[in-house]
Amino acid sequence: QMNTPSSPRHPHQHTPDRHTRPVLPDSILCLGYSVGETTTVVFIHGPHSGDFRVEKLPHGEVELRQLTHTLRAALRAQDPDYSQHSQRLGRILLAPAIPHLEYTTHVVILPDGPLHFVPFCALPDPTQDSATDHLVEKCSISYAQSHTLLHQLSSPQSRATHPRVVA
């Protein structure tokens, strides 16, 4: 577990504090990634109010770009062995969230760098032994561009001043 207040790519960027963390309903897990040259930091928020921790992963931009490219190529080629690539990437990116997935119905991904190209819906559920049980079968997955945007969209003020319009 990492206790420093900065990300590897942006050394002066502080981790979200209690005032800037998104206000998310229970059962929603937010995984925010900051990919650096040699390491990746994952900010884990939820699924219960007040749950927040930071994990440092020993996988950097070049490795994650390669793994992402390999998985996407296997999926495009409809390679039946794509699961070996999705398992490896899933173990790296989702392992820190395993303790929280039991209580999660929705995962919000905040990707960084090469992770913008990861098809998270193709990654296996890390709580299951089978590579054919995908995380998306257990819970819905969505994406946000930043913690700041997610915070603005999920704040009570935003919901009160910007009503939803369905056409």
Side-chain angles (χ1 to χ4, degrees):
Q1 201 168 21
M2 191 173 111
N3 294 323
T4 61
S6 62
S7 69
R9 185 181 300 177
H10 311 286
H12 302 293
Q13 177 186 22
H14 295 286
T15 58
D17 63 20
R18 65 182 173 84
H19 299 294
T20 60
R21 281 187 215 141
V23 179
L24 299 174
D26 280 354
S27 79
I28 294 181
L29 178 66
C30 180
L31 300 175
Y33 297 91
S34 181
V35 179
E37 201 172 303
T38 59
T39 60
T40 295
V41 175
V42 59
F43 301 92
I44 304 164
H45 177 214
H48 302 293
S49 179
D51 288 352
F52 184 80
R53 72 178 219 266
V54 180
E55 294 270 343
K56 186 176 181 179
L57 309 176
H59 307 278
E61 185 171 6
V62 172
E63 179 185 2
L64 293 173
R65 188 174 307 283
Q66 170 76 38
L67 292 169
T68 300
H69 175 77
T70 303
L71 174 58
R72 291 177 63 92
L75 289 169
R76 269 193 309 276
Q78 298 180 358
D79 182 351
D81 294 328
Y82 84 92
S83 63
Q84 68 185 13
H85 305 296
S86 67
Q87 276 186 304
R88 173 138 168 76
L89 199 52
R91 276 194 304 269
I92 291 170
L93 298 176
L94 299 175
I98 288 174
H100 305 287
L101 288 173
E102 178 182 346
Y103 310 102
T104 300
T105 60
H106 185 84
V107 177
V108 178
I109 304 291
L110 291 91
D112 183 44
L115 302 186
H116 283 280
F117 301 101
V118 172
F120 279 85
C121 293
L123 301 183
D125 179 350
T127 65
Q128 303 297 316
D129 293 330
S130 169
T132 59
D133 292 329
H134 295 89
L135 181 60
V136 73
E137 295 175 71
K138 176 187 179 89
C139 54
S140 56
I141 299 174
S142 63
Y143 299 85
Q145 293 304 309
S146 70
H147 276 100
T148 303
L149 179 60
L150 185 60
H151 174 70
Q152 289 173 348
L153 293 174
S154 62
S155 72
Q157 295 85 3
S158 173
R159 287 191 296 271
T161 59
H162 297 93
R164 293 181 187 206
V165 176
V166 179

